[in-house]
Amino acid sequence: MKYKNIVFDFGNVIGTFDSDYILGQFCDDKADFPILSKAIYQDWVELDAGTLEYEKGVELAIARVPTRLKPTLERFFKDWYKHLTPLLQTWDFVHELKSRGVPIYLLSNAPQYFADHADIYEIMQEFDGVLFSGPVKLAKPDPAIYQLFFKTFDLNPKECFFLDDRIDNINAAKACGMDGMVYTGDVDAVKKAVGF
């Protein structure tokens, strides 16, 4: 392999973050989805970055919806993290890397609340190191989170290859010395890129 370490994002790499699917677990009327989405995601960037406490974010979101939807949002914020659909082709690749002794890491934007509950996904046990944005109050594509990641796990960025679903996060990684590619679910393309 061309790289010593493979680094994964979580959303849309390890598990699919499908907003409508997740909302559908808590709300039967699709007509309400736009109202709920607007309330939920208005502050999501701040939740990811840890600059807004989760409980405060929940409070703000619930205040934005009609009374009839408040219980729906309460249920959503309590249990949404359970409904990211595993991308099994990625999981198979993770297991394959581990079986060959390749160190694997996770660097993902996610609220503190998700970081606290991510271990419900058994694949999390496979990673040699995990860094979520919320707990460290930094988020991709801020160069500071990449530098913190390298420092935390004593990694040489030139020895790492990063898989993320967003081009801005990949570009930021490259600017910090870590190669990578936008992940579309094509594991064969990744294997070719890393010489696996």
Side-chain angles (χ1 to χ4, degrees):
M1 267 194 15
K2 300 176 189 174
Y3 305 89
K4 182 178 177 182
N5 313 291
I6 305 296
V7 184
F8 294 81
D9 179 29
F10 194 102
N12 300 322
V13 177
I14 297 296
T16 301
F17 189 97
D18 181 331
S19 178
D20 282 356
Y21 171 77
I22 297 171
L23 283 174
Q25 308 308 303
F26 304 96
C27 177
D28 295 327
D29 189 351
K30 285 195 172 183
D32 286 329
F33 282 17
I35 302 168
L36 293 168
S37 289
K38 186 176 181 184
I40 291 165
Y41 298 113
Q42 187 170 324
D43 298 315
W44 203 267
V45 170
E46 288 79 11
L47 290 175
D48 271 353
T51 55
L52 176 65
E53 293 294 326
Y54 193 76
E55 295 75 14
K56 182 63 177 176
V58 173
E59 183 183 312
L60 290 170
I62 289 173
R64 295 184 186 117
V65 299
T67 302
R68 65 183 177 82
L69 290 177
K70 293 184 188 299
T72 302
L73 270 196
E74 287 173 359
R75 291 194 306 274
F76 171 89
F77 277 105
K78 180 175 179 287
D79 288 329
W80 69 270
Y81 68 90
K82 299 176 181 176
H83 301 288
L84 276 65
T85 309
L87 284 162
L88 297 180
Q89 70 272 25
T90 314
W91 288 37
D92 289 343
F93 183 43
V94 166
H95 290 308
E96 204 174 344
L97 288 166
K98 286 299 284 187
S99 72
R100 293 206 193 177
V102 178
I104 55 172
Y105 296 86
L106 188 124
L107 173 61
S108 182
N109 285 354
Q112 174 79 55
Y113 190 74
F114 183 80
D116 291 342
H117 294 89
D119 59 0
I120 68 159
Y121 297 96
E122 60 185 42
I123 198 71
M124 294 300 295
Q125 300 166 17
E126 301 293 333
F127 291 99
D128 295 283
V130 172
L131 185 70
F132 283 114
S133 60
V136 298
K137 295 183 168 45
L138 291 168
K140 299 175 295 183
D142 184 339
I145 194 170
Y146 298 91
Q147 298 300 341
L148 177 63
F149 172 74
F150 302 137
K151 182 178 179 182
T152 299
F153 301 113
D154 193 23
L155 299 173
N156 179 346
K158 296 193 180 307
E159 295 178 343
C160 300
F161 191 86
F162 184 41
L163 300 172
D164 194 289
D165 65 319
R166 293 178 54 105
I167 186 65
D168 54 340
N169 293 338
I170 293 296
N171 288 341
K174 288 181 176 180
C176 292
M178 175 167 63
D179 200 2
M181 66 187 289
V182 174
Y183 185 71
T184 61
D186 187 346
V187 171
D188 288 337
V190 175
K191 289 181 176 179
K192 185 176 179 182
V194 302
F196 186 76

